Amino acid sequence: MQFDLTQDRTRYWMMTIVAGIALAIAGSAAIAFVHPLVPFAVIVGIVIGAIILSNIEFGMYAVIAIAVLLPFAALPLNIGFNPTFLDLALVAVYAMWFWRVMTRQDEHGFIATVLGLPILTFLILAIFSFIAGTAHAPITMQVLRQFVEVLAAIAFFFVIVNTVQTRARLRRYVTALILAGFVSALIGILLYVLPRDLTIMLLSLLRVFKYPSGDGVLRFIEDDPNNPMRAISTSIDPNVLGGLMILVTALAAPQLFAEKPLLPRQFIVAIVGTMFVCLVLTFSRGALLGLVLALTVIATVRYRPMIALILLGAIVFLFLPFTQEYIGHLLDAFTLGDRATQMRLGEYKDALILISRYPFFGVGFGGSPDIDTYLGVSSVYLLMAEEMGLIGLSVFLIIMGTFFYQTVQAWFTRIAQDKFLAPILLGIAGALLGAMIGGLVDHYFFNLKFPHSVVLFWLFVGLGMVTIRLGVFDKPDALT
């Protein structure tokens, strides 16, 4: 069979020209009818997607960056819903991981860890409660999508423990989390100190990615513009930003005193200071309490000088003129003197009524079956009990109790003497402890509306188990 090279070249160039014309028409239509930035965003997305799919580690970096810096960004493309950047990054990572499993590229086989079975049980209970809840609350496409996102976020634990096999990769992921958290905190502070009109304009630029825009992007104490403004960075909700700052600040803090910090110590000082200031500016009292208690535990276990820093910071904080309003807001929570605290107490009372009626498996994720109750409360534990019952809540507490037991056991058997792993494990455990304390009065770490927070929580759990495993089975100098 003979080939006409001239004819083949002609066909090639004709196809190229046709494809170019089609792309030009599509791009022009997008500019005219959607937004001028859409074609650019699509091109950038294709390039980034190709990079992510070339290496699972790049996919992990994408998940971390999106979950921390652009958690609510979605494609300006409606396919019944707008896929979020986080959805696409998670799909890419899962696809690459499944491909590695199917092609047997993982030398270690499937790793579940001691948490594998209880986490799988938790996922099954969530699915059971979701299906049972459809009997009294029809499920919308949005609720179904958000529920699948939360399942994928929890199952992300298995991706982490199976793909992070070396100290070098653990170092890179922890460093990426710290740096992303620092950028988020810096953005939060800058948007807080800039003139409000400029802050509104800058945040409104994200509307092309389905972020809110206009005056409503700013948040205030008790939603009253006459009260102090609350920092939000790109997290939309100040309490969600506060929860993020718990995780990344507690993770970074032990590096201040580590013998071999992941980053230059002067940089770590600036990072931790920036994160703490950002957390304070969120006016999230639960987040502040969670972080302070987490840092106190970290200091008690290993880094005693941190106690002096905590006390010095508390003294300075108490007597600075511009922090007095913040202190008053903080004290209102303990004296029940503000509307937000009183509303929370009302939510807790209503939640307990709902839980008492459906104690075992909850009411699912769609809504309450009773007209005199509602689904939703500012406490991760009460919300979990509402949706999955006391059985689901108990399994979650067993998971976290087992995690902390494994952490303590590994610490005293080997990791305490490991100069590299010790500060990382303390930071991860402190971050999760702080998140669980903050979860007493907030719900973002188990909420269908905040899948990125769920991703980050289980990412930390996974990294914690990886650190424990490396401490037990790996050599201290195995940084490859």
Side-chain angles (χ1 to χ4, degrees):
M1 184 177 182
Q2 296 181 344
F3 294 92
D4 188 339
L5 295 179
T6 303
Q7 187 177 10
D8 288 344
R9 289 195 189 98
T10 302
R11 289 177 180 175
Y12 170 80
W13 284 111
M14 287 183 65
M15 291 175 63
T16 303
I17 292 171
V18 171
I21 293 173
L23 286 174
I25 293 173
S28 301
I31 292 173
F33 301 108
V34 184
H35 194 281
L37 292 178
V38 170
F40 175 76
V42 170
I43 294 171
V44 171
I46 292 172
V47 173
I48 293 175
I51 294 173
I52 290 173
L53 288 171
S54 68
N55 189 316
I56 195 168
E57 191 165 336
F58 295 150
M60 292 292 189
Y61 294 144
V63 170
I64 291 171
I66 293 168
V68 174
L69 298 173
L70 283 173
F72 297 99
L75 291 179
L77 177 65
N78 194 325
I79 55 174
F81 65 94
N82 294 93
T84 66
F85 288 7
L86 185 59
D87 291 338
L88 299 178
L90 285 173
V91 167
V93 169
Y94 272 108
M96 285 184 286
W97 180 48
F98 287 143
W99 175 255
R100 289 168 62 92
V101 172
M102 296 299 294
T103 56
R104 299 183 180 179
Q105 296 181 37
D106 287 322
E107 300 176 358
H108 302 275
F110 180 77
I111 299 171
T113 78
V114 69
L115 297 184
L117 182 58
I119 290 177
L120 181 60
T121 303
F122 186 71
L123 289 168
I124 292 172
L125 285 171
I127 294 171
F128 176 82
S129 295
F130 180 84
I131 295 174
T134 60
H136 57 77
I139 300 301
T140 65
M141 177 60 71
Q142 181 179 2
V143 171
L144 176 61
R145 175 178 64 85
Q146 291 173 335
F147 178 70
V148 172
E149 288 173 342
V150 167
L151 291 182
I154 298 170
F156 195 59
F157 166 86
F158 294 104
V159 180
I160 295 298
V161 297
N162 280 276
T163 58
V164 185
Q165 302 291 344
T166 65
R167 292 172 177 240
R169 183 166 284 189
L170 175 64
R171 172 194 289 270
R172 291 193 291 270
Y173 287 174
V174 172
T175 302
L177 278 165
I178 291 172
L179 291 176
F182 170 63
V183 173
S184 178
L186 191 60
I187 292 172
I189 294 173
L190 289 175
L191 292 176
Y192 191 89
V193 299
L194 287 174
R196 291 185 179 180
D197 289 342
L198 180 57
T199 297
I200 292 172
M201 184 193 75
L202 292 174
L203 287 173
S204 295
L205 292 176
L206 294 173
R207 63 180 173 271
V208 67
F209 300 122
K210 302 304 176 180
Y211 264 73
S213 60
D215 295 345
V217 299
L218 300 183
R219 302 295 293 273
F220 302 88
I221 293 177
E222 297 183 349
D223 295 324
D224 185 352
N226 296 316
N227 289 331
M229 191 170 79
R230 306 178 67 185
I232 56 173
S233 188
T234 53
S235 294
I236 296 180
D237 187 287
N239 291 326
V240 173
L241 178 59
L244 170 63
M245 290 299 111
I246 293 177
L247 294 176
V248 293
T249 309
L251 179 64
Q255 298 298 323
L256 289 169
F257 306 96
E259 292 188 40
K260 297 180 179 180
L262 299 177
L263 295 165
R265 204 175 306 275
Q266 299 89 333
F267 193 22
I268 292 291
V269 171
I271 285 174
V272 173
T274 302
M275 290 173 175
F276 182 77
V277 170
C278 182
L279 185 147
V280 170
L281 293 178
T282 65
F283 284 84
S284 177
R285 295 167 290 190
L288 181 62
L289 178 63
L291 178 62
V292 170
L293 292 179
L295 294 180
T296 302
V297 170
I298 292 172
T300 303
V301 172
R302 168 60 67 90
Y303 302 112
R304 302 294 194 281
M306 193 183 293
I307 296 177
L309 288 179
I310 294 172
L311 292 175
L312 179 61
I315 292 172
V316 172
F317 190 76
L318 285 172
F319 291 101
L320 286 176
F322 56 83
T323 61
Q324 299 309 301
E325 191 166 14
Y326 189 99
I327 294 170
H329 180 62
L330 188 62
L331 292 176
D332 283 342
F334 296 99
T335 60
L336 311 181
D338 67 335
R339 183 164 56 91
T341 304
Q342 294 166 0
M343 289 177 63
R344 269 193 170 91
L345 291 177
E347 288 181 0
Y348 299 160
K349 179 181 177 182
D350 295 340
L352 291 173
I353 293 173
L354 183 60
I355 294 168
S356 67
R357 294 178 182 175
Y358 307 92
F360 298 113
F361 297 103
V363 300
F365 296 80
S368 172
D370 303 325
I371 60 173
D372 61 333
T373 58
Y374 55 91
L375 184 62
V377 56
S378 295
S379 169
V380 71
Y381 308 104
L382 292 177
L383 180 62
M384 199 175 291
E386 283 185 339
E387 294 174 335
M388 296 177 58
L390 296 177
I391 295 177
L393 174 60
S394 298
V395 173
F396 172 76
L397 294 177
I398 289 171
I399 293 170
M400 297 313 299
T402 304
F403 171 83
F404 287 115
Y405 173 77
Q406 292 288 315
T407 298
V408 172
Q409 188 178 49
W411 179 264
F412 286 109
T413 55
R414 184 168 181 178
I415 289 183
Q417 289 75 42
D418 193 309
K419 297 178 181 179
F420 172 70
L421 293 180
I424 291 178
L425 184 59
L426 268 184
I428 291 173
L432 290 170
L433 177 63
M436 293 189 70
I437 293 170
L440 291 169
V441 292
D442 262 311
H443 52 69
Y444 35 79
F445 289 119
F446 188 77
N447 192 309
L448 297 188
K449 296 180 180 179
F450 307 111
H452 70 282
S453 293
V454 186
V455 167
L456 289 171
F457 184 89
W458 291 99
L459 168 62
F460 271 71
V461 176
L463 290 176
M465 294 307 295
V466 166
T467 307
I468 292 170
R469 188 171 185 274
L470 290 174
V472 174
F473 297 108
D474 204 4
K475 296 180 180 179
D477 58 350
L479 290 172
T480 59

